[in-house]
Amino acid sequence: MLSTDGLTEGRDHAGEEFGDQRVTDLLAALPSPVPQAAVTSLYDAADRFGIDWARDDISLLAAAPLPPSDHHTATP
């Protein structure tokens, strides 16, 4: 999971930061590490928190490794 600082440093209208701990707690609470679920959960949490979207941008990138495969294909 990668994000720009707009997520963790994002503030609500009272000036409180979203913070690293909220991100960590939310990701740890996910039932499985599915990239789409992580992005959706973080976006929804930021929206509920009331981040002032006009103050900074937020970009999220999530990825997961491919499952192991019994068939390996060699590439030239």
Side-chain angles (χ1 to χ4, degrees), residues 3 8 11 14-15 19 29 31-33 36 38 41 47-48 52-54 63 66 74 76:
S3 74
T8 56
R11 297 178 184 271
S32 64
Q36 181 63 39
S41 294
D47 204 35
R48 283 190 309 274
D52 181 1
W53 296 100
L66 290 173

Side-chain angles (χ1 to χ4, degrees), residues 1-73:
M1 183 80 223
L2 300 172
S3 74
T4 58
D5 64 351
L7 177 63
T8 56
E9 295 176 2
R11 297 178 184 271
D12 64 9
H13 296 290
E16 181 182 352
E17 280 192 356
F18 191 73
D20 293 329
Q21 193 61 51
R22 274 191 182 85
V23 173
T24 301
D25 292 347
L26 191 137
L27 293 175
L30 290 174
S32 64
V34 178
Q36 181 63 39
V39 170
T40 300
S41 294
L42 285 170
Y43 177 83
D44 289 347
D47 204 35
R48 283 190 309 274
F49 180 74
I51 283 183
D52 181 1
W53 296 100
R55 186 171 182 263
D56 200 355
D57 67 316
I58 296 174
S59 297
L60 303 170
L61 174 67
L66 290 173
S69 172
D70 291 335
H71 305 323
H72 297 283
T73 307

